Amino acid sequence: HRFTMLKVDLGLLDREGSVSVAASVAADDGLWNETNIRWASAVDVQLQATLAGTGQVVVRGRVRGALHLECKRCLQPVESQFGGALTLVFQSEESETDDEDTGAYLLDPKGSELDVSEAVREEVILAMNPYAVCKPDCQGLCPMCGTNLNEGSCDCTEDEVDPRWGALRNLKSE
């Protein structure tokens, strides 16, 4: 798979003060490898990079696309729209004002381009909703037999206890 590079021309940014970066990143692009993110279609990336002082670049924008997720209650497939806003700060080591971790990404002051691909990838991973459900009233799966309770009921009773808890029950009764 190819790997889309989202790059800011630092020379142009220095002359203009602000530069746009726009891309349509394929759902199977190498940028999403090893992330467990499954896109339903191409991902729209719109970014604006701005100089914010000596040795500092701020990148703001949006990432939009449709995700293939799994309902966390019943495990059925769910398609969800993703529309995360991003604010990324890149700064050179020299511009750090204190020893604390500022959450900024490293900017090579001698570089001619700023690759924001990895930073965008990280921010998308952090912004994803890991608790997607197919519908708000999803009943999920029976914890005893695994029946999808949205499709029907089962013969399990709430009094039945998972035998794996037996050792703990024995300790409690002693």
Side-chain angles (χ1 to χ4, degrees):
H1 296 291
R2 72 179 217 283
F3 186 92
T4 298
M5 302 295 263
L6 303 169
K7 292 187 177 183
V8 175
D9 181 331
L10 293 175
L12 181 62
L13 181 62
D14 195 39
R15 289 189 301 276
E16 302 286 329
S18 185
V19 173
S20 295
V21 177
S24 180
V25 182
D28 63 349
D29 192 277
L31 182 62
W32 314 118
N33 286 353
E34 299 177 14
T35 63
N36 295 325
I37 297 174
R38 294 184 307 132
W39 295 101
S41 59
V43 182
D44 180 46
V45 179
Q46 301 287 328
L47 304 171
Q48 188 75 28
T50 309
L51 284 176
T54 306
Q56 193 173 57
V57 175
V58 175
V59 179
R60 290 186 176 91
R62 294 192 67 79
V63 176
R64 291 186 183 99
L67 288 165
H68 285 304
L69 301 172
E70 191 175 75
C71 176
K72 295 302 177 192
R73 295 180 189 163
C74 69
L75 306 181
Q76 294 300 306
V78 178
E79 188 169 301
S80 175
Q81 292 299 313
F82 179 87
L86 303 175
T87 299
L88 310 169
V89 177
F90 292 85
Q91 63 186 25
S92 59
E93 289 181 310
E94 295 83 41
S95 68
E96 289 186 29
T97 56
D98 55 14
D99 294 332
E100 293 180 24
D101 181 17
T102 60
Y105 294 93
L106 185 62
L107 171 65
D108 179 3
K110 295 183 178 103
S112 62
E113 290 183 320
L114 172 60
D115 184 0
V116 299
S117 308
E118 284 297 322
V120 167
R121 178 180 187 238
E122 285 179 22
E123 294 297 320
V124 167
I125 292 168
L126 292 172
M128 278 184 53
N129 177 9
Y131 302 106
V133 291
C134 60
K135 55 188 179 185
D137 62 343
C138 176
Q139 299 297 307
L141 303 176
C142 171
M144 296 303 292
C145 68
T147 297
N148 186 338
L149 299 174
N150 296 314
E151 298 170 358
S153 58
C154 60
D155 296 328
C156 300
T157 65
E158 290 191 28
D159 295 339
E160 292 182 46
V161 179
D162 189 327
R164 294 174 290 182
W165 293 104
L168 286 175
R169 257 193 323 281
N170 292 342
L171 283 174
K172 185 178 177 184
S173 63
E174 287 179 3

